[in-house]
Structures are given as C-alpha cells and as structure tokens.
Amino acid sequence: PLANLRVFADRNFLVSTLLISMVFLLLYGIMNLQPLMAGNLLGYTAFLSGVAQAPRGLGMMVLTPLVGILTGKVNNRLLIGPGMILIAGASMMMGDFNLAICSHDFFWPNFIQGMGMALTTIPLMTVAMSTIRNEQMGNATGLFALARNLAGSIGIAVAIAMVSRGALRHQAYLTAHLTPFD
C-alpha cells in the first residue's frame, strides 16, 4: 500500500484532517474566484489582480510568528476557534463584493482571512501530529497534506462549476426573454 490508513485511528489526527479539509474546501473556491472576478469583470490586469489578493499573504505574514510562539504556550483550540471565526467573518465580508467595488475593498477581507488562515492551519497541523508516533510521522504528514490539497481542489472545482452553471442559467433566461421588440 502507498499509505497506512491506520493513522486515522488517532482521534486528534482524524479531527484535524477533517477540519483542515473543510477549511481548504471553502477557502480555495473563494481564493480562486476573486482573481477571476477582478480580471474578467473589473478589468484588472493580472498584476493588479495579484496585488488585490496580496493582503491575504500579508495577514498570514503578520500573524504567523505570533502563532508560532503561542502554539507551544496555549491550548491550540484557543487559536483554531478564533481563526475559523476570522475566516468566516472575512468570507461574509466577501459576500458583499459586487461590480462597484474598488481595489481597496479587497484589502480588509483578504487581510482578515489571511490572519484566520495563520491562526487555523498551524495549530491544526500541530494538533494533528502531536500524538502520532515517530515511525508514522512521514505517513501522517503525507496524508494530511493530501487531504488538504484534495479538499482545496474539490473546492475550486465546485466553485468554478457553480459559476459556469450560473452563467449558463442566466444566459438561457436572457435568450428566452429576448425579442426583436425588446
């Protein structure tokens, strides 16, 4: 076998893997749609679209050193919970995005989301690996990364499929109601 799935018998590993998968499933869809919106609908160049997304990385960069220090000193659940709340709040802020926004409107939701990602991903990985035996560590980290990346890929596929189907639905509605007199 390529991987020993017995590592999922560890409750910390299983729950952490499920949580990180859920987070990346939701986040990667959002993270993929924003540059498409900026480029295709708002007319941003590829560079400007990237600049509009940069605050997410800045939020992670600002908070990651603090999270690294706190991870060994406080219960990781005290970091994961607020991190997920920040991600959810930022995602709700992004729900208000429309074609009237400017590049500055991307800043705070992306920055907050980046902070939430730092507060969530590092402690989740720490919890996942904390009770894994040394001889299973390579297997566990591989499965953890696989689950995270697979969930992110599924999130991107679902988001793109929803946008494509929505566009087709709206196009069908418009062409059905289009007449030479209207």
Side-chain angles (χ1 to χ4, degrees):
L2 292 174
N4 183 358
L5 299 180
R6 289 190 182 123
V7 74
F8 285 108
D10 184 294
R11 186 178 63 118
N12 283 346
F13 182 78
L14 176 65
V15 171
S16 295
T17 303
L18 290 174
L19 284 174
I20 200 76
S21 296
M22 180 183 69
V23 168
F24 273 65
L25 178 88
L26 299 171
L27 276 181
Y28 272 30
I30 292 170
M31 289 168 51
N32 190 341
L33 291 178
Q34 279 186 9
L36 293 175
M37 177 186 176
N40 295 340
L41 300 176
L42 299 175
Y44 288 20
T45 64
F47 176 76
L48 290 178
S49 179
V51 169
Q53 305 308 308
R56 185 179 296 114
L58 184 63
M60 288 184 75
M61 189 172 67
V62 165
L63 209 53
T64 297
L66 178 63
V67 172
I69 293 167
L70 291 175
T71 297
K73 297 183 183 196
V74 300
N75 188 337
N76 285 317
R77 289 177 289 186
L78 296 176
L79 300 173
I80 295 168
M84 289 198 174
I85 289 170
L86 286 175
I87 290 170
S91 298
M92 289 177 63
M93 291 169 71
M94 291 174 193
D96 291 334
F97 283 2
N98 58 42
L99 297 180
I101 66 171
C102 68
S103 60
H104 295 88
D105 296 328
F106 281 107
F107 183 84
W108 286 112
N110 282 318
F111 185 80
I112 292 168
Q113 191 177 61
M115 290 181 5
M117 287 173 67
L119 279 170
T120 303
T121 55
I122 297 166
L124 272 175
M125 180 166 259
T126 303
V127 169
M129 302 304 156
S130 64
T131 54
I132 299 295
R133 294 191 321 264
N134 283 342
E135 59 270 4
Q136 291 183 326
M137 192 63 70
N139 182 50
T141 53
L143 287 172
F144 188 81
L146 173 69
R148 183 185 64 212
N149 292 334
L150 187 61
S153 298
I154 292 169
I156 291 170
V158 168
I160 296 298
M162 288 176 65
V163 168
S164 297
R165 287 182 183 226
L168 289 173
R169 185 175 54 247
H170 290 295
Q171 181 183 6
Y173 177 79
L174 287 173
T175 55
H177 293 89
L178 186 65
T179 67
F181 307 107
D182 185 12

